[in-house]
PDB file of all heavy atoms in Angstrom:
ATOM      1  N   PHE Q  89     -10.213 -60.894   1.661  1.00 96.00           N
ATOM      2  CA  PHE Q  89     -10.039 -62.331   1.627  1.00 96.00           C
ATOM      3  C   PHE Q  89     -10.111 -62.885   3.044  1.00 96.00           C
ATOM      4  O   PHE Q  89      -9.585 -62.270   3.978  1.00 96.00           O
ATOM      5  CB  PHE Q  89      -8.683 -62.713   1.035  1.00 96.00           C
ATOM      6  CG  PHE Q  89      -8.508 -62.421  -0.416  1.00 96.00           C
ATOM      7  CD1 PHE Q  89      -9.440 -61.671  -1.161  1.00 96.00           C
ATOM      8  CD2 PHE Q  89      -7.383 -62.886  -1.096  1.00 96.00           C
ATOM      9  CE1 PHE Q  89      -9.255 -61.422  -2.502  1.00 96.00           C
ATOM     10  CE2 PHE Q  89      -7.203 -62.637  -2.464  1.00 96.00           C
ATOM     11  CZ  PHE Q  89      -8.136 -61.897  -3.150  1.00 96.00           C
ATOM     12  N   THR Q  90     -10.708 -64.058   3.202  1.00 96.00           N
ATOM     13  CA  THR Q  90     -10.806 -64.718   4.498  1.00 96.00           C
ATOM     14  C   THR Q  90     -10.399 -66.191   4.375  1.00 96.00           C
ATOM     15  O   THR Q  90     -11.004 -66.912   3.572  1.00 96.00           O
ATOM     16  CB  THR Q  90     -12.224 -64.617   5.064  1.00 96.00           C
ATOM     17  OG1 THR Q  90     -12.602 -63.242   5.177  1.00 96.00           O
ATOM     18  CG2 THR Q  90     -12.285 -65.272   6.442  1.00 96.00           C
ATOM     19  N   ILE Q  91      -9.455 -66.594   5.172  1.00 96.00           N
ATOM     20  CA  ILE Q  91      -9.041 -68.005   5.209  1.00 96.00           C
ATOM     21  C   ILE Q  91      -9.847 -68.721   6.280  1.00 96.00           C
ATOM     22  O   ILE Q  91     -10.153 -68.149   7.329  1.00 96.00           O
ATOM     23  CB  ILE Q  91      -7.525 -68.105   5.492  1.00 96.00           C
ATOM     24  CG1 ILE Q  91      -7.026 -69.542   5.306  1.00 96.00           C
ATOM     25  CG2 ILE Q  91      -7.152 -67.553   6.861  1.00 96.00           C
ATOM     26  CD1 ILE Q  91      -5.491 -69.681   5.381  1.00 96.00           C
ATOM     27  N   SER Q  92     -10.206 -69.956   6.001  1.00 97.00           N
ATOM     28  CA  SER Q  92     -10.938 -70.778   6.974  1.00 97.00           C
ATOM     29  C   SER Q  92     -10.653 -72.243   6.703  1.00 97.00           C
ATOM     30  O   SER Q  92     -10.041 -72.577   5.716  1.00 97.00           O
ATOM     31  CB  SER Q  92     -12.438 -70.475   6.939  1.00 97.00           C
ATOM     32  OG  SER Q  92     -12.973 -70.869   5.664  1.00 97.00           O
ATOM     33  N   ARG Q  93     -11.097 -73.082   7.594  1.00 98.00           N
ATOM     34  CA  ARG Q  93     -10.888 -74.524   7.436  1.00 98.00           C
ATOM     35  C   ARG Q  93     -12.013 -75.317   8.072  1.00 98.00           C
ATOM     36  O   ARG Q  93     -12.691 -74.829   8.994  1.00 98.00           O
ATOM     37  CB  ARG Q  93      -9.536 -74.946   8.022  1.00 98.00           C
ATOM     38  CG  ARG Q  93      -9.430 -74.809   9.534  1.00 98.00           C
ATOM     39  CD  ARG Q  93      -8.004 -74.975   9.999  1.00 98.00           C
ATOM     40  NE  ARG Q  93      -7.461 -76.317   9.721  1.00 98.00           N
ATOM     41  CZ  ARG Q  93      -6.163 -76.601   9.715  1.00 98.00           C
ATOM     42  NH1 ARG Q  93      -5.264 -75.652   9.925  1.00 98.00           N
ATOM     43  NH2 ARG Q  93      -5.771 -77.831   9.472  1.00 98.00           N
ATOM     44  N   ASP Q  94     -12.195 -76.537   7.573  1.00 98.00           N
ATOM     45  CA  ASP Q  94     -13.159 -77.467   8.155  1.00 98.00           C
ATOM     46  C   ASP Q  94     -12.408 -78.768   8.362  1.00 98.00           C
ATOM     47  O   ASP Q  94     -12.164 -79.527   7.411  1.00 98.00           O
ATOM     48  CB  ASP Q  94     -14.345 -77.658   7.192  1.00 98.00           C
ATOM     49  CG  ASP Q  94     -15.412 -78.573   7.783  1.00 98.00           C
ATOM     50  OD1 ASP Q  94     -15.108 -79.361   8.712  1.00 98.00           O
ATOM     51  OD2 ASP Q  94     -16.566 -78.511   7.308  1.00 98.00           O
ATOM     52  N   ASN Q  95     -11.991 -79.012   9.588  1.00 98.00           N
ATOM     53  CA  ASN Q  95     -11.195 -80.199   9.876  1.00 98.00           C
ATOM     54  C   ASN Q  95     -11.984 -81.491   9.683  1.00 98.00           C
ATOM     55  O   ASN Q  95     -11.408 -82.530   9.385  1.00 98.00           O
ATOM     56  CB  ASN Q  95     -10.619 -80.133  11.274  1.00 98.00           C
ATOM     57  CG  ASN Q  95      -9.503 -79.111  11.389  1.00 98.00           C
ATOM     58  OD1 ASN Q  95      -8.913 -78.673  10.395  1.00 98.00           O
ATOM     59  ND2 ASN Q  95      -9.222 -78.688  12.620  1.00 98.00           N
ATOM     60  N   ALA Q  96     -13.285 -81.431   9.868  1.00 98.00           N
ATOM     61  CA  ALA Q  96     -14.110 -82.640   9.651  1.00 98.00           C
ATOM     62  C   ALA Q  96     -14.140 -83.036   8.183  1.00 98.00           C
ATOM     63  O   ALA Q  96     -14.273 -84.209   7.846  1.00 98.00           O
ATOM     64  CB  ALA Q  96     -15.523 -82.395  10.163  1.00 98.00           C
ATOM     65  N   GLN Q  97     -13.996 -82.034   7.302  1.00 97.00           N
ATOM     66  CA  GLN Q  97     -13.980 -82.282   5.853  1.00 97.00           C
ATOM     67  C   GLN Q  97     -12.581 -82.307   5.257  1.00 97.00           C
ATOM     68  O   GLN Q  97     -12.423 -82.437   4.058  1.00 97.00           O
ATOM     69  CB  GLN Q  97     -14.824 -81.199   5.139  1.00 97.00           C
ATOM     70  CG  GLN Q  97     -16.267 -81.187   5.544  1.00 97.00           C
ATOM     71  CD  GLN Q  97     -16.998 -82.448   5.080  1.00 97.00           C
ATOM     72  OE1 GLN Q  97     -16.760 -82.966   4.001  1.00 97.00           O
ATOM     73  NE2 GLN Q  97     -17.907 -82.930   5.937  1.00 97.00           N
ATOM     74  N   ASN Q  98     -11.574 -82.149   6.137  1.00 98.00           N
ATOM     75  CA  ASN Q  98     -10.175 -82.073   5.651  1.00 98.00           C
ATOM     76  C   ASN Q  98     -10.024 -81.046   4.526  1.00 98.00           C
ATOM     77  O   ASN Q  98      -9.380 -81.308   3.498  1.00 98.00           O
ATOM     78  CB  ASN Q  98      -9.686 -83.436   5.159  1.00 98.00           C
ATOM     79  CG  ASN Q  98      -9.502 -84.438   6.280  1.00 98.00           C
ATOM     80  OD1 ASN Q  98      -9.298 -84.061   7.446  1.00 98.00           O
ATOM     81  ND2 ASN Q  98      -9.589 -85.719   5.992  1.00 98.00           N
ATOM     82  N   SER Q  99     -10.601 -79.873   4.749  1.00 98.00           N
ATOM     83  CA  SER Q  99     -10.613 -78.864   3.700  1.00 98.00           C
ATOM     84  C   SER Q  99     -10.212 -77.489   4.217  1.00 98.00           C
ATOM     85  O   SER Q  99     -10.516 -77.118   5.325  1.00 98.00           O
ATOM     86  CB  SER Q  99     -11.999 -78.774   3.085  1.00 98.00           C
ATOM     87  OG  SER Q  99     -12.314 -79.935   2.367  1.00 98.00           O
ATOM     88  N   LEU Q 100      -9.508 -76.774   3.335  1.00 98.00           N
ATOM     89  CA  LEU Q 100      -9.072 -75.399   3.562  1.00 98.00           C
ATOM     90  C   LEU Q 100      -9.821 -74.519   2.564  1.00 98.00           C
ATOM     91  O   LEU Q 100     -10.058 -74.968   1.431  1.00 98.00           O
ATOM     92  CB  LEU Q 100      -7.588 -75.284   3.359  1.00 98.00           C
ATOM     93  CG  LEU Q 100      -6.932 -73.918   3.497  1.00 98.00           C
ATOM     94  CD1 LEU Q 100      -6.906 -73.479   4.977  1.00 98.00           C
ATOM     95  CD2 LEU Q 100      -5.521 -73.936   2.926  1.00 98.00           C
ATOM     96  N   TYR Q 101     -10.149 -73.299   2.961  1.00 98.00           N
ATOM     97  CA  TYR Q 101     -10.883 -72.432   2.066  1.00 98.00           C
ATOM     98  C   TYR Q 101     -10.270 -71.030   2.006  1.00 98.00           C
ATOM     99  O   TYR Q 101      -9.564 -70.610   2.922  1.00 98.00           O
ATOM    100  CB  TYR Q 101     -12.354 -72.297   2.570  1.00 98.00           C
ATOM    101  CG  TYR Q 101     -13.061 -73.619   2.707  1.00 98.00           C
ATOM    102  CD1 TYR Q 101     -13.237 -74.196   3.961  1.00 98.00           C
ATOM    103  CD2 TYR Q 101     -13.551 -74.286   1.587  1.00 98.00           C
ATOM    104  CE1 TYR Q 101     -13.894 -75.414   4.113  1.00 98.00           C
ATOM    105  CE2 TYR Q 101     -14.196 -75.507   1.727  1.00 98.00           C
ATOM    106  CZ  TYR Q 101     -14.338 -76.068   2.980  1.00 98.00           C
ATOM    107  OH  TYR Q 101     -14.996 -77.272   3.107  1.00 98.00           O
ATOM    108  N   LEU Q 102     -10.572 -70.334   0.918  1.00 98.00           N
ATOM    109  CA  LEU Q 102     -10.232 -68.934   0.807  1.00 98.00           C
ATOM    110  C   LEU Q 102     -11.431 -68.216   0.178  1.00 98.00           C
ATOM    111  O   LEU Q 102     -11.728 -68.441  -1.009  1.00 98.00           O
ATOM    112  CB  LEU Q 102      -8.981 -68.698  -0.038  1.00 98.00           C
ATOM    113  CG  LEU Q 102      -8.479 -67.256  -0.090  1.00 98.00           C
ATOM    114  CD1 LEU Q 102      -7.971 -66.818   1.287  1.00 98.00           C
ATOM    115  CD2 LEU Q 102      -7.377 -67.091  -1.139  1.00 98.00           C
ATOM    116  N   GLN Q 103     -12.122 -67.426   0.969  1.00 97.00           N
ATOM    117  CA  GLN Q 103     -13.235 -66.633   0.474  1.00 97.00           C
ATOM    118  C   GLN Q 103     -12.663 -65.301  -0.029  1.00 97.00           C
ATOM    119  O   GLN Q 103     -12.021 -64.599   0.717  1.00 97.00           O
ATOM    120  CB  GLN Q 103     -14.257 -66.384   1.577  1.00 97.00           C
ATOM    121  CG  GLN Q 103     -15.412 -65.507   1.159  1.00 97.00           C
ATOM    122  CD  GLN Q 103     -16.299 -66.162   0.099  1.00 97.00           C
ATOM    123  OE1 GLN Q 103     -16.638 -67.335   0.216  1.00 97.00           O
ATOM    124  NE2 GLN Q 103     -16.689 -65.402  -0.902  1.00 97.00           N
ATOM    125  N   MET Q 104     -12.912 -65.024  -1.305  1.00 97.00           N
ATOM    126  CA  MET Q 104     -12.370 -63.815  -1.909  1.00 97.00           C
ATOM    127  C   MET Q 104     -13.498 -62.917  -2.386  1.00 97.00           C
ATOM    128  O   MET Q 104     -14.302 -63.317  -3.232  1.00 97.00           O
ATOM    129  CB  MET Q 104     -11.481 -64.180  -3.105  1.00 97.00           C
ATOM    130  CG  MET Q 104     -10.361 -65.153  -2.742  1.00 97.00           C
ATOM    131  SD  MET Q 104      -9.205 -65.434  -4.088  1.00 97.00           S
ATOM    132  CE  MET Q 104     -10.275 -66.182  -5.298  1.00 97.00           C
ATOM    133  N   ASN Q 105     -13.552 -61.712  -1.801  1.00 97.00           N
ATOM    134  CA  ASN Q 105     -14.586 -60.745  -2.155  1.00 97.00           C
ATOM    135  C   ASN Q 105     -13.958 -59.502  -2.764  1.00 97.00           C
ATOM    136  O   ASN Q 105     -12.749 -59.299  -2.683  1.00 97.00           O
ATOM    137  CB  ASN Q 105     -15.389 -60.358  -0.907  1.00 97.00           C
ATOM    138  CG  ASN Q 105     -16.082 -61.506  -0.243  1.00 97.00           C
ATOM    139  OD1 ASN Q 105     -16.518 -62.459  -0.929  1.00 97.00           O
ATOM    140  ND2 ASN Q 105     -16.197 -61.494   1.061  1.00 97.00           N
TER     141      ASN Q 105
END
Side-chain angles (χ1 to χ4, degrees):
Chain Q
F89 292 9
T90 303
I91 189 172
S92 64
R93 66 191 296 161
D94 183 339
N95 287 343
Q97 298 293 322
N98 290 336
S99 293
L100 178 72
Y101 304 102
L102 186 67
Q103 177 67 44
M104 304 187 297
N105 300 327

